[in-house]
């Protein structure tokens, strides 16, 4: 083992122990993409796959977990959305299958959800888009954090990964494992965040077009053609409707989303929906738009959610090769620093 590889193993040791995987590389949960085929491939290749539950019913999640377990004996987790109306039933489905790690995304854990997850013996991972929230989540008893910057694909916050990492890692990295996410496409960046105290990293965009990804060939081609500047954030048109921005490749669906926001805002005006229902309508819009692109291949009207690292996705390659390349780049970077 080279000096760089030895250093990398040492820096990833905490994250690997927490996840139970060979590398401390999590795959971000991408709706319609992070399903049994990609999740099992990532776990089998030494990473940590995450099923994107998204808007799935408990029955669908039950089948997806069972399907993933049939393809891998390695650890994997499930990403649940906090505003899902059947959140507690989904937590029970995870418990039935003895899922070891649950990621809660989309806001602070609702009352009782943390106890329900941890009471079943699972480890709970939450997103911390600010230091104050990181501290609040730690006090509430979460087991690990993901610090995700605005360069990521899908739902994003307003602060860049590099700033969040500098703000949060020195304050909390000694207390619990912290995984850094958003705009990571090469191993050199992984090495940098590990050096800053991260236990590991999370990547989504880099895996979206893997050989094992079921994404439509049209979806993958759009990624291969795109550069970083093509992955843009959606615009919020009504300040009363707290829509979390979404980063995706520019296409006609951006205008469709603006129209959808206007429609939902009007329903709010007319008191025809409550705020929670309005936000759920927006979530369901994204689920449908993503399906059109990922599954049906409609890259004009569907949503092409992608992070700014999309320019580093240039061809279809097996998950095992992607992870091996990232690890080799990270080890080489750490070796150079040792010189």
């Amino acid at each position: 083992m080279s000096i760089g590889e030895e250093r990398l193993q040492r820096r990833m040791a905490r994250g690997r122990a927490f996840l139970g995987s060979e590398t401390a590389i999590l795959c971000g949960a991408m709706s319609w993409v992070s399903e049994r085929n990609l999740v099992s491939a990532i776990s089998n290749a030494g990473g940590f796959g995450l099923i994107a539950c998204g808007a799935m019913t408990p029955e669908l999640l039950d089948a997806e977990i069972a399907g993933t377990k049939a393809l891998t004996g390695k650890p994997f987790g499930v990403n649940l959305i906090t505003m899902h109306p059947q959140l507690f039933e989904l937590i029970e489905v995870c418990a039935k299958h003895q899922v070891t790690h649950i990621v809660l995304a989309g806001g602070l854990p609702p009352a009782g959800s943390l106890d329900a997850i941890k009471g079943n013996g699972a480890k709970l991972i939450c997103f911390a888009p600010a230091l104050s929230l990181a501290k609040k989540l730690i006090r509430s008893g979460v087991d690990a954090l993901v610090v995700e910057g605005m360069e990521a694909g899908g739902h994003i916050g307003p602060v860049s990964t590099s700033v969040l990492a500098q703000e949060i890692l020195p304050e909390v990295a000694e207390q619990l494992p912290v995984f850094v996410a958003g705009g990571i496409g090469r191993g050199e960046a992984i090495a940098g965040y590990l050096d800053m105290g991260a236990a590991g990293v999370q990547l989504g965009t880099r895996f979206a077009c893997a050989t094992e990804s079921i994404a439509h060939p049209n979806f993958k081609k759009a990624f291969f053609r795109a550069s970083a500047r093509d992955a843009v954030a959606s615009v919020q048109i009504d300040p009363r409707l707290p829509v979390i921005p979404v980063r995706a490749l520019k296409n006609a669906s951006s205008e469709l989303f603006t129209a959808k926001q206007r429609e939902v805002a009007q329903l709010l005006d007319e008191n025809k929906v409550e705020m929670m229902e309005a936000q759920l309508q927006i979530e369901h819009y994204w689920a449908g738009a993503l399906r059109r692109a990922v599954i049906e291949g409609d890259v004009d009207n569907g949503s092409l959610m992608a992070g700014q690292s999309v320019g580093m996705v240039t061809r279809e390659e097996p998950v095992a090769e992607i992870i091996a390349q990232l690890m080799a780049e990270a080890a080489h970077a750490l070796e150079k620093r040792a010189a």
Side-chain angles (χ1 to χ4, degrees):
M1 189 183 284
S2 71
I3 295 169
E5 287 167 340
E6 189 270 325
R7 286 189 156 203
L8 179 58
Q9 292 299 332
R10 202 164 62 236
R11 278 164 178 71
M12 276 193 171
R14 189 183 188 192
R16 287 163 52 217
F18 175 77
L19 296 170
S21 53
E22 292 158 46
T23 71
I25 296 176
L26 280 143
C27 178
M30 300 170 282
S31 290
W32 302 108
V33 180
S34 298
E35 48 72 72
R36 65 187 73 179
N37 293 287
L38 185 62
V39 171
S40 60
I42 285 166
S43 290
N44 285 335
F48 191 87
L50 274 178
I51 294 172
C53 176
M56 281 185 197
T57 61
E59 293 74 25
L60 279 173
L61 179 62
D62 186 43
E64 202 55 50
I65 295 171
T68 307
K69 286 174 100 170
L71 296 171
T72 184
K74 302 280 181 72
F76 64 89
V78 174
N79 179 297
L80 302 176
I81 308 295
T82 54
M83 68 173 73
H84 197 297
Q86 293 175 288
L87 177 63
F88 286 87
E89 290 161 64
L90 296 169
I91 291 169
E92 280 307 307
V93 170
C94 292
K96 170 187 152 186
H97 286 283
Q98 296 178 314
V99 171
T100 55
H101 297 68
I102 292 177
V103 178
L104 276 186
L108 287 168
S113 60
L114 191 140
D115 291 336
I117 290 166
K118 294 185 56 119
N120 290 325
K123 291 185 169 74
L124 174 61
I125 307 167
C126 285
F127 286 83
L131 178 58
S132 56
L133 272 170
K135 289 179 174 176
K136 187 172 184 178
L137 287 164
I138 291 168
R139 284 196 300 273
S140 72
V142 304
D143 298 295
L145 296 173
V146 175
V147 172
E148 183 178 68
M150 67 179 296
E151 301 94 322
H155 291 305
I156 54 168
V159 184
S160 73
T161 306
S162 61
V163 172
L164 279 179
Q166 291 175 78
E167 185 185 17
I168 295 174
L169 287 171
E171 295 279 341
V172 306
E174 287 183 9
Q175 297 174 54
L176 81 180
V178 181
F179 297 86
V180 175
I184 300 172
R186 288 185 58 89
E188 291 88 348
I190 295 173
Y193 289 123
L194 290 171
D195 265 350
M196 289 171 70
V201 291
Q202 177 180 290
L203 291 80
T205 303
R206 194 74 176 76
F207 291 116
C209 298
T211 310
E212 296 89 346
S213 163
I214 62 159
H216 195 282
N218 294 352
F219 181 90
K220 292 182 179 181
K221 277 179 200 153
F223 270 53
F224 302 151
R225 284 195 298 262
S227 65
R229 66 177 58 198
D230 296 319
V232 297
S234 61
V235 178
Q236 180 181 341
I237 63 148
D238 192 319
R240 292 162 314 137
L241 188 60
V243 176
I244 301 169
V246 165
R247 188 175 298 287
L249 300 182
K250 279 184 290 195
N251 67 358
S253 79
S254 310
E255 287 155 44
L256 292 172
F257 178 53
T258 303
K260 180 65 183 177
Q261 285 187 73
R262 286 204 184 95
E263 176 198 318
V264 174
Q266 191 175 341
L267 291 173
L268 273 174
D269 279 344
E270 296 166 0
N271 292 319
K272 288 184 178 171
V273 291
E274 296 288 321
M275 183 59 77
M276 185 76 165
E277 169 61 23
Q279 286 177 290
L280 273 172
Q281 280 202 28
I282 297 289
E283 281 303 308
H284 286 140
Y285 165 84
W286 281 123
L290 260 172
R291 190 182 197 286
R292 281 198 296 279
V294 175
I295 305 298
E296 296 165 20
D298 183 352
V299 294
D300 296 318
N301 302 303
S303 174
L304 296 161
M305 288 191 189
Q308 290 182 322
S309 59
V310 69
M312 296 172 235
V313 180
T314 55
R315 66 187 190 278
E316 196 175 57
E317 52 192 328
V319 161
E321 285 181 23
I322 296 171
I323 291 177
Q325 183 187 355
L326 291 169
M327 293 292 282
E329 289 165 353
H332 183 60
L334 291 170
E335 182 126 12
K336 282 198 293 187
R337 287 171 206 183

